[in-house]
Amino acid sequence: MSVKVSVAGHERAFELNGKPLFYLADTVWSAFTNASLEEWAEYLDYRKLQGFNVLQINILRQWDASESDLRMEPFLLQEDGSYDYRQLNVEYFDRAEQMLGMALERGFIPALVLLWCNYVPDTWAGMFQEGNKMPFDCVEAYVRYAVERFSKYNPIYLVSGDTDFPSEQAIAYYTKALEVVHALSPNSLKTLHIRGRLREIPDTLEQHDGLDFYMYQSGHNSEFQATAYEIAENFYTRPRTRPVINGEPCYEQISYSRNVYGRYSAFDARKAAWQSLLAGGGAGITYGAHGIWSWHKQGKKFGIVEGEGFDAPYDWREAVRFEGAWDYSFIKYVFESYNLIGISPANIVLNETPEIRAAANDTTIVLYIPVNTKVRLNLDVQDYSFTTIDLTARRFACTEITTHDGKSVIAMHRFEKDVVVIGKRK
């Protein structure tokens, strides 16, 4: 029933039961607390249809989830309504396990967050749960319980959620959690989901043998979308080689963070994905839809606790059908069809912009061109046969290329939006 994911021998991608795996995740943080079993089945069937294979879920309640009628909490409540972290709610975990079983029946790999940042003292989101942090002496018991219940489903563990590491105390929480899960389930893949735009993780965590891959977040701030490729480059070149995943690019139809007017389109989400993948994050990508991650239902409250200033989500049934999810599905198709999984960034573009990204392996060159222009390459590509893929309509076209003095020029293509150009060695 369960599947086994591991790091490939070259340490740049994943394998599933010994075969290459393109990690295509959906962000569904609030499923355990918000989704009914009937809704969950409907959601799973649709994402399976699209080819998604990983589900990123928060084990504990997401602090900024949408309002829910389920009243399901992972811990028993004290008189003031706060969590009693010393008393786990077995019924909650029974139901979560049932949901994981439903996911695995459809071939999904769970990626479970152990400690979202608001449960840990000193982190940037600490203000949203003042006075009800998880006591440090409860971390081991909680993580042990979660791992002992869920490891039968061979999940990936996201030890942290949306976190920074502002103090030794915060680092100690995540170090303890990583140590516990690694001791109990050494063969499970483990990573850290870190705060948007963060480029560094503490050395004690980065050098830990239990950390299997890097996960970063380019996030939702409209001023910093270049981090999609900048942070991929950063983690790709770290001294400790591991696969790299952008675990939270801009979500489709989420508003710009901090109450800035505007929403991210399918194009924006697609651009962040391709730039991440070709800049070093070639192991896979995570998609997000505004309405799925918080599991929002029309008429329910969003932002019960005032957060980063996002505008209202769409109802989850509308959000699950956003067109951008099909764009990500198509990315997986391209990476699998052209054997691109784990592809390395290539510094071959001569245009004076970092927005055009290139990557290559022994047989293939890939370029992402977000805005139409001719592209100059510091490489003679006459031994390659090229195809241009229109990413809006998913059409394939012949590609006009000229070479001279060891350099090449890809002519301006005929499509109106972004394209991927793929060259295969003849």
Side-chain angles (χ1 to χ4, degrees):
M1 176 174 156
S2 59
V3 293
K4 181 60 182 170
V5 184
S6 58
V7 174
H10 52 74
E11 299 182 314
R12 291 300 187 188
F14 304 112
E15 293 180 344
L16 175 63
N17 298 328
K19 297 181 180 180
L21 171 75
F22 183 82
Y23 179 111
L24 180 60
D26 193 22
T27 308
V28 60
W29 302 130
S30 306
F32 287 168
T33 57
N34 284 40
S36 71
L37 297 182
E38 294 77 16
E39 292 167 347
W40 185 236
E42 179 182 341
Y43 163 83
L44 292 173
D45 288 340
Y46 197 74
R47 284 293 188 251
K48 179 183 178 182
L49 173 71
Q50 295 175 307
F52 283 78
N53 51 23
V54 181
L55 303 173
Q56 294 179 186
I57 307 170
N58 197 346
I59 293 177
L60 305 181
R61 177 174 290 281
Q62 183 88 8
W63 68 268
D64 50 357
S66 294
E67 183 184 21
S68 173
D69 290 327
L70 295 181
R71 303 291 185 262
M72 296 293 295
E73 302 296 342
F75 302 96
L76 299 185
L77 300 180
Q78 303 182 94
E79 289 186 4
D80 63 358
S82 62
Y83 286 156
D84 181 349
Y85 288 106
R86 303 183 194 282
Q87 296 194 70
L88 289 151
N89 182 359
V90 176
E91 182 182 358
Y92 175 91
F93 286 89
D94 288 344
R95 185 176 180 277
E97 200 169 325
Q98 184 178 359
M99 295 175 75
L100 291 181
M102 293 168 65
L104 263 74
E105 286 172 359
R106 293 161 171 83
F108 289 102
I109 302 159
L112 304 177
V113 182
L114 289 166
L115 279 175
W116 204 263
C117 57
N118 58 290
Y119 293 94
V120 176
D122 303 333
T123 65
W124 75 272
M127 70 186 86
F128 304 126
Q129 196 163 305
E130 292 184 9
N132 195 214
K133 298 291 182 291
M134 182 179 291
F136 183 76
D137 64 359
C138 292
V139 172
E140 182 170 353
Y142 154 66
V143 173
R144 179 177 294 275
Y145 182 82
V147 172
E148 288 175 347
R149 289 214 61 162
F150 296 145
S151 282
K152 66 174 69 73
Y153 301 104
N154 284 334
I156 296 167
Y157 288 104
L158 279 54
V159 174
S160 66
D162 200 24
T163 198
D164 52 0
F165 304 94
S167 68
E168 290 301 319
Q169 180 175 221
I171 295 170
Y173 270 70
Y174 291 119
T175 302
K176 172 60 70 175
L178 179 57
E179 288 173 347
V180 173
V181 68
H182 186 53
L184 293 175
S185 189
N187 295 323
S188 297
L189 294 188
K190 295 164 285 290
T191 191
L192 301 164
H193 178 281
I194 58 179
R195 185 180 184 181
R197 309 190 303 280
L198 194 66
R199 300 165 190 254
E200 302 291 334
I201 57 178
D203 188 65
T204 55
L205 291 168
E206 182 167 0
Q207 298 306 319
H208 198 289
D209 288 340
L211 192 71
D212 296 296
F213 65 101
Y214 298 114
M215 177 175 280
Y216 71 97
Q217 176 190 169
S218 56
H220 318 290
N221 191 305
S222 57
E223 296 182 24
F224 300 104
Q225 286 303 295
T227 56
Y229 53 83
E230 291 173 351
I231 302 179
E233 291 175 326
N234 171 69
F235 281 113
Y236 186 86
T237 56
R238 302 295 289 181
R240 188 78 175 260
T241 301
R242 294 181 172 104
V244 179
I245 294 284
N246 187 347
E248 192 171 329
C250 58
Y251 294 159
E252 186 174 6
Q253 288 303 323
I254 198 170
S255 60
Y256 305 152
S257 64
R258 304 191 181 186
N259 290 307
V260 175
Y261 179 72
R263 289 181 186 258
Y264 292 102
S265 66
F267 165 76
D268 297 319
R270 184 171 71 228
K271 176 182 174 183
W274 277 104
Q275 290 183 331
S276 302
L277 288 159
L278 301 189
I285 193 68
T286 300
Y287 171 76
H290 194 39
I292 295 297
W293 69 271
S294 66
W295 205 269
H296 188 71
K297 298 176 187 176
Q298 188 172 1
K300 296 295 182 182
K301 294 179 181 178
F302 170 68
I304 299 170
V305 180
E306 185 177 352
E308 286 197 278
F310 294 120
D311 211 335
Y314 288 71
D315 183 271
W316 78 268
R317 283 194 174 93
E318 296 173 345
V320 78
R321 290 169 172 79
F322 287 163
E323 185 65 21
W326 289 106
D327 287 332
Y328 278 57
S329 173
F330 184 67
I331 290 173
K332 177 170 172 270
Y333 166 80
V334 171
F335 265 67
E336 291 176 342
S337 298
Y338 288 91
N339 298 316
L340 305 179
I341 300 171
I343 196 165
S344 301
N347 185 23
I348 59 173
V349 177
L350 294 174
N351 298 54
E352 294 183 1
T353 174
E355 292 281 297
I356 300 172
R357 307 306 305 182
N361 57 29
D362 291 340
T363 62
T364 311
I365 297 170
V366 186
L367 296 109
Y368 174 70
I369 307 170
V371 177
N372 202 358
T373 188
K374 68 179 180 182
V375 178
R376 295 174 290 112
L377 304 178
N378 189 25
L379 184 70
D380 187 329
V381 297
Q382 60 183 329
D383 292 335
Y384 289 79
S385 175
F386 282 85
T387 300
T388 298
I389 306 174
D390 167 23
L391 295 176
T392 302
R394 304 176 193 115
R395 296 175 290 182
F396 292 67
C398 297
T399 308
E400 181 184 345
I401 296 183
T402 58
T403 60
H404 182 69
D405 289 341
K407 296 181 174 60
S408 304
V409 176
I410 302 174
M412 206 172 100
H413 59 78
R414 303 300 179 89
F415 302 116
E416 297 175 8
K417 289 192 176 179
D418 56 333
V419 303
V420 162
V421 178
I422 300 180
K424 295 288 291 184
R425 195 183 295 275
K426 298 175 184 177

